[in-house]
Amino acid sequence: MKTPPSTRTGLLGDVGGTNARFALLIDGSVSATAHMAVSDYATFQQALAAYLGASAEGGGPAHAILAASGVVQNGRCELTNNSWVIDAEELRRTHGFSTIRLINDFEAVAWALPRLDASSLLQLGGRQRIAGAPLAAIGPGTGLGMAVSIPHRGGQIVLSSEGGHSTMASGSLREDAVIEHLRRRFGHVSAERVLSGAGLENLHDALAEIDGVSSPKRRAADITRAGLDGTCTVSRGAIDMFCAMLGSVAGNLALALNARGGIFIGGGILRHMPDYLAASQFRQRFEEKGRLRKFLEPIPAYLILDDDVAFVGLRNLMEVEGIG
């Protein structure tokens, strides 16, 4: 028996390069999150239909807000790191949504930032946030996401960003060598080429070749594991460089946005190694900006520990828009 739309208020979705996650906002409460592997479905439509099941036609949620890992233009997104295409108008016709909104995935994270409490965050240096100042989100996962939340008249303005595709700068001679190696391979070396799951693999392979070390090809999870337990020096070097480079990029973001409300690090990679990140060169490189060091020193950086941070943001946005 189909549930009437008045009960199932809204569909929330967080669609990445590797996984799609869905939940329902029912009478003000978010349901359990369903995880679906992108590789199991040829299209986003198939994955969504599988999630909605018997509610897919007429009796499901009346409203939807979906966050996708790619550039959103005119209600349409071709995901950056897989072949899926999400088209809001097509979904409206197929599933009968009264309203549907499609946003960038890190835009959803930015909507969550004012609602994150201390238990959801690990502070990585700095002091206190400046009330009313911009808050910025950055996160290495399948790709490298960025977004900013600007407090405004009791609410917030959220801006998405494709800053992860900006050119990666070096902070040392060794990083010079790695970037030159990757430039020969890719041409343009963006921040995402080193600060993502695939980026960690790129760092590992580059360091092995530069050092003349015979090291097997490893997936990002294996590099992290081997680096943390000390069984592979190349993997350890890769995650060290990863943390340092992230510090440089996060510091650049803080400067560009005057983000004295804090820098917040999301994504799935670093959530599994919080202590290592805290002890790494991240904070040193965050502040290493020459004459602007004193400007950056008090700006707090945080690792987001909440795996469902996107749903905190999507629920916030749905409530801002008067749904649920």
Side-chain angles (χ1 to χ4, degrees):
M1 183 174 181
K2 295 178 180 178
T3 305
S6 59
T7 301
R8 290 190 170 182
T9 306
L11 169 72
L12 308 178
D14 178 27
V15 187
T18 306
N19 296 293
R21 302 187 301 156
F22 299 104
L24 292 169
L25 183 64
I26 305 172
D27 298 330
S29 299
V30 178
S31 70
T33 303
H35 296 247
M36 309 179 79
V38 168
S39 59
D40 289 343
Y41 301 91
T43 67
F44 174 76
Q45 283 275 29
Q46 290 179 7
L48 179 59
Y51 173 70
L52 292 175
S55 299
E57 297 180 6
H63 310 281
I65 298 183
L66 305 172
S69 59
V71 179
V72 177
Q73 292 182 315
N74 301 318
R76 189 174 187 274
C77 178
E78 297 181 12
L79 272 72
T80 303
N81 292 297
N82 67 45
S83 62
W84 281 5
V85 175
I86 304 176
D87 188 295
E89 187 56 38
E90 180 185 6
L91 295 175
R92 188 197 311 275
R93 291 195 306 267
T94 303
H95 298 288
F97 296 121
S98 299
T99 62
I100 180 168
R101 181 165 175 180
L102 181 60
I103 64 174
N104 176 265
D105 59 339
F106 256 74
E107 191 176 343
V109 175
W111 277 104
L113 298 184
R115 296 198 172 193
L116 299 179
D117 57 31
S119 65
S120 300
L121 301 168
L122 172 66
Q123 186 163 349
L124 302 166
R127 295 192 282 277
Q128 296 296 316
R129 310 182 205 176
I130 302 297
L135 305 85
I138 180 172
T142 304
L144 179 64
M146 295 184 187
V148 58
S149 169
I150 304 170
H152 177 70
R153 296 179 184 175
Q156 62 184 129
I157 297 171
V158 169
L159 302 176
S160 62
S161 170
E162 290 301 325
H165 297 282
S166 59
T167 304
M168 184 69 214
S170 166
S172 69
L173 292 175
R174 187 158 173 79
E175 289 177 11
D176 284 347
V178 167
I179 290 175
E180 176 57 29
H181 174 89
L182 296 177
R183 188 179 293 119
R184 291 195 300 270
R185 179 178 172 190
F186 296 111
H188 178 247
V189 181
S190 66
E192 183 172 288
R193 288 293 191 192
V194 296
L195 297 176
S196 62
L200 186 57
E201 294 167 12
N202 291 337
L203 289 176
H204 174 275
D205 294 349
L207 289 171
E209 184 164 329
I210 289 167
D211 293 341
V213 176
S214 177
S215 181
K217 287 279 187 179
R218 297 180 188 268
R219 304 291 296 183
D222 298 323
I223 294 168
T224 302
R225 189 178 305 110
L228 294 178
D229 65 23
T231 58
C232 174
T233 57
V234 177
S235 295
R236 174 64 68 94
I239 61 174
D240 283 346
M241 187 171 286
F242 185 97
C243 292
M245 286 178 151
L246 179 63
S248 289
V249 173
N252 289 344
L253 188 61
L255 288 175
L257 299 173
N258 193 24
R260 293 181 295 166
I263 295 288
F264 296 78
I265 303 164
I269 296 174
L270 295 166
R271 195 176 299 123
H272 302 293
M273 45 185 284
D275 294 337
Y276 197 95
L277 177 64
S280 74
Q281 287 191 331
F282 169 84
R283 187 70 205 191
Q284 176 186 332
R285 290 282 291 272
F286 181 90
E287 296 177 2
E288 257 180 17
K289 302 298 180 185
R291 291 170 292 174
L292 270 294
R293 174 185 288 275
K294 293 295 183 184
F295 176 85
L296 287 166
E297 282 178 352
I299 295 178
Y302 304 93
L303 176 63
I304 300 172
L305 303 175
D306 186 351
D307 186 46
D308 290 326
V309 61
F311 288 94
V312 176
L314 291 169
R315 177 178 179 176
N316 185 19
L317 179 55
M318 194 166 270
E319 290 174 356
V320 166
E321 298 197 343
I323 305 169

